[in-house]
Amino acid sequence: MDGVEERPIGIDELLERVRAGYTRIEPRAAYEAAQRGDALLVDIRYAALRDRDGLIPGALVVERNELEWRLDPQGSHRAPEATSHDLRVVVICNEGYASSLAIESLRRLGLHRATDLVGGFQAWRAEGLPVTAAESGVEARQA
């Protein structure tokens, strides 16, 4: 310890600092990137929210507590989609807060193109982008 104490910061300041380090993506742009095959959408919402609100077709579902293990291209527990550190990952939570914090961790793992969805799943749905019911969400992939 160097004897210099940092003052504690609140969550709003932490989010601001984290988000200053990368460019977030809007729902329509994320949808278009995924359609072109230029982005992997990763849904980190917990099961109750997915059950209540539905799934984004084609999104990889990864519980937040498994995210780093599933997306680390060098990891022994990686998802098949986690092919390189150059992968463009778009992390989606419910409203776009938890996903921002997750991005900092993914970037520390070397996923330099990782970003998150502004407004999260709720913004995706409000934009009128595709959503399937959770029970019929066979198009979503679980890691």
Side-chain angles (χ1 to χ4, degrees):
M1 194 154 131
D2 61 9
V4 177
E5 263 187 61
E6 287 190 36
R7 71 171 178 77
I9 62 170
I11 189 64
D12 292 332
E13 186 177 341
L14 177 61
L15 278 170
E16 187 177 311
R17 287 182 185 183
V18 167
R19 289 173 175 167
Y22 68 97
T23 302
R24 302 178 79 207
I25 191 169
E26 296 287 336
R28 176 92 29 210
Y31 172 75
E32 291 168 357
Q35 292 297 299
R36 289 190 309 270
D38 185 39
L40 173 64
L41 304 180
V42 179
D43 186 345
I44 63 168
R45 293 174 301 140
Y46 53 90
L49 289 176
R50 296 191 312 265
D51 291 345
R52 182 189 77 189
D53 294 337
L55 300 165
I56 294 172
L60 179 65
V61 174
V62 179
E63 295 287 335
R64 172 60 191 100
N65 64 326
E66 297 179 356
L67 185 65
E68 291 82 358
W69 284 266
R70 297 291 185 231
L71 293 183
D72 178 4
Q74 299 174 342
S76 59
H77 299 293
R78 73 175 182 81
E81 295 85 353
T83 55
S84 97
H85 286 95
D86 197 43
L87 181 65
R88 185 176 185 197
V89 175
V90 177
V91 178
I92 303 165
C93 67
N94 194 49
E95 294 182 344
Y97 297 101
S99 57
S100 293
L101 298 176
I103 292 308
E104 180 177 36
S105 181
L106 292 178
R107 286 179 162 255
R108 286 184 179 185
L109 284 175
L111 293 159
H112 63 97
R113 296 180 70 206
T115 189
D116 73 321
L117 191 70
V118 175
F121 178 86
Q122 297 306 323
W124 177 279
R125 185 170 62 180
E127 186 76 19
L129 295 168
V131 173
T132 61
E135 56 272 354
S136 67
V138 294
E139 295 176 30
R141 306 177 310 251
Q142 183 119 17

